[in-house]
Amino acid sequence: MLKSMYLGTSIAISWAWGTSLILGMEIARTKGIETFAIWATANCLTLAIFGLLYKKGYLTSLVLDQKIVRIFTNLIQIFCLIIQLKILNETFQNFFDPITSYLITAAFGIGLEIWMYRKGLAASIFSDLFQGIGTLIVLVIMVGITFYNFEPGEITHSNWSGISWGIWSACILLSGIITDIQHWQRAEVNGKGYAFECAAVFFAIYLTLVFLLSRYDFDYILNFLLLLAVIGVTTSTIDSIAVALHRDFGRKIGTLIGLGICLSFGLLVQLSVLEIWSFFGIVRVGLAIYILYWCYNYKNETLKRAAYSSI
């Protein structure tokens, strides 16, 4: 069980991205509590569902070797890396000018890419333990400060537009993990364990803290603590992406791709994180449907061959 909890922490914090923290609070504030509930529930369920499908053999890593899947899963890793860097950069801008923020963000990315080049998946999973626990501790401190020192804002309720967005985002999230190499790698490490179930619980606790914080305006101290939390969730995903790019490109080429993105992500500075996330959401849903279809056919063919061989 300890192994499942250890790996589950890595899965949850890698799945967190910067979007679940920054956009999670924005969703609760602007789209309403009902939309947040749909989005948060999908975030947690997708972890448990993916783990169950993999353990039951409904998903096989062989699908990742299909040419079309390799192309799009790696494109998704690249888009994921861009999002983490943009969120980290935007959060640094609460304290530094744009150029300094960009340079600090690039330095974080480059440092993690080089570290993962040297140490690989085991180091990524190990570091996630500290990034995950550290992020939770910071969020708990923030909740404590807001509870005792600030008045909460009114709870926003969702209209139909917000709820429909929540349903679409749930589709993106439920399909997103299936297209994410990071979690296929962790599923292989997990085997028949319960790491994904542990990750779902960890993530539910994390998103509860995110919702509680969404009801408050932040002062300088809270923004500084938020920066620490953002560093925790984004760097855990960045180092996981670095290792994911090693799978198909090898360590050298995968690292070079990652380094190139860390230096050039500013070219997409005009696009918002939500725009990038929503656009690639369409790609993720389509690819997830294809992966599920391929794995379903593969499982059926395997069963047929087993039946024929036993005759």
Side-chain angles (χ1 to χ4, degrees), residues 22 40 80 82 90 111 115 128 142 153 160 212-213 216 226 239 258 296 300 310:
I22 301 299
C80 175
I82 292 169
E90 290 170 8
W115 186 30
D128 287 342
M142 292 176 70
W160 175 244
L212 292 175
L213 289 171
Y216 297 91
L226 178 64
D239 66 49
Y296 173 79
N300 281 343
S310 64

Side-chain angles (χ1 to χ4, degrees), residues 8 23 61 81 88 135-136 193 216 218 232 248 271 280 285-286 305:
L23 293 185
S61 299
L81 178 54
L88 188 56
T135 298
L136 275 189
Y216 297 91
F218 292 175
D248 291 323
L271 292 177
F280 271 92
V285 170
R305 286 195 295 270

Side-chain angles (χ1 to χ4, degrees), residues 19-20 33 80 96 142 159 169 171 228 236 265 294 297:
T19 51
S20 64
I33 186 173
C80 175
F96 305 101
M142 292 176 70
N159 54 28
S169 72
C171 294
L228 297 181
S236 67
F265 73 93
W294 191 94
N297 284 338

Side-chain angles (χ1 to χ4, degrees), residues 40-60:
T41 301
N43 256 304
C44 299
L45 283 180
T46 191
L47 294 168
I49 291 171
F50 177 79
L52 182 63
L53 289 174
Y54 189 89
K55 283 190 293 186
K56 295 295 184 180
Y58 293 105
L59 293 174
T60 170

Side-chain angles (χ1 to χ4, degrees), residues 70-71 73-82 85 106 109-110 112-114 117 181 238 241-265:
R70 291 180 67 180
I71 291 171
T73 51
N74 283 291
L75 281 175
I76 287 168
Q77 291 305 303
I78 290 171
F79 116 82
C80 175
L81 178 54
I82 292 169
L85 293 167
I110 291 168
L112 289 168
E113 288 287 342
I114 294 172
Y117 170 77
I181 298 172
I238 290 170
I241 296 166
V243 177
L245 290 172
H246 296 170
R247 183 187 187 276
D248 291 323
F249 296 109
R251 287 200 178 194
K252 289 184 179 180
I253 301 300
T255 301
L256 287 174
I257 292 171
L259 290 173
I261 295 166
C262 290
L263 291 170
S264 63
F265 73 93

Side-chain angles (χ1 to χ4, degrees), residues 42-228:
N43 256 304
C44 299
L45 283 180
T46 191
L47 294 168
I49 291 171
F50 177 79
L52 182 63
L53 289 174
Y54 189 89
K55 283 190 293 186
K56 295 295 184 180
Y58 293 105
L59 293 174
T60 170
S61 299
L62 293 173
V63 71
L64 299 180
D65 295 325
Q66 302 303 303
K67 185 175 180 181
I68 189 70
V69 176
R70 291 180 67 180
I71 291 171
F72 281 102
T73 51
N74 283 291
L75 281 175
I76 287 168
Q77 291 305 303
I78 290 171
F79 116 82
C80 175
L81 178 54
I82 292 169
I83 283 183
Q84 309 318 307
L85 293 167
K86 282 181 65 66
I87 288 179
L88 188 56
N89 180 53
E90 290 170 8
T91 308
F92 273 127
Q93 287 184 28
N94 290 326
F95 300 91
F96 305 101
D97 62 84
I99 294 177
T100 302
S101 299
Y102 188 90
L103 292 174
I104 295 173
T105 301
F108 265 97
I110 291 168
L112 289 168
E113 288 287 342
I114 294 172
W115 186 30
M116 291 304 107
Y117 170 77
R118 297 180 60 190
K119 299 296 184 179
L121 180 60
S124 175
I125 293 172
F126 179 72
S127 66
D128 287 342
L129 178 66
F130 298 96
Q131 289 156 319
I133 293 174
T135 298
L136 275 189
I137 290 172
V138 170
L139 293 179
V140 168
I141 292 172
M142 292 176 70
V143 169
I145 291 173
T146 56
F147 183 79
Y148 286 104
N149 294 282
F150 298 91
E151 286 294 323
E154 293 293 325
I155 293 177
T156 304
H157 290 280
S158 305
N159 54 28
W160 175 244
S161 174
I163 291 173
S164 61
W165 183 90
I167 294 171
W168 170 240
S169 72
C171 294
I172 294 175
L173 291 165
L174 289 167
S175 60
I177 196 168
I178 297 174
T179 66
D180 195 334
I181 298 172
Q182 305 168 44
H183 297 291
W184 284 88
Q185 290 176 320
R186 283 160 175 76
E188 291 171 357
V189 175
N190 182 51
K192 298 295 184 180
Y194 296 94
F196 282 89
E197 290 82 354
C198 291
V201 174
F202 183 100
F203 212 78
I205 296 170
Y206 163 75
L207 287 182
T208 300
L209 295 172
V210 170
F211 175 75
L212 292 175
L213 289 171
S214 72
R215 300 188 61 199
Y216 297 91
D217 293 322
F218 292 175
D219 60 9
Y220 185 86
I221 293 175
L222 286 172
N223 273 316
F224 176 73
L225 291 171
L226 178 64
L227 173 62
L228 297 181

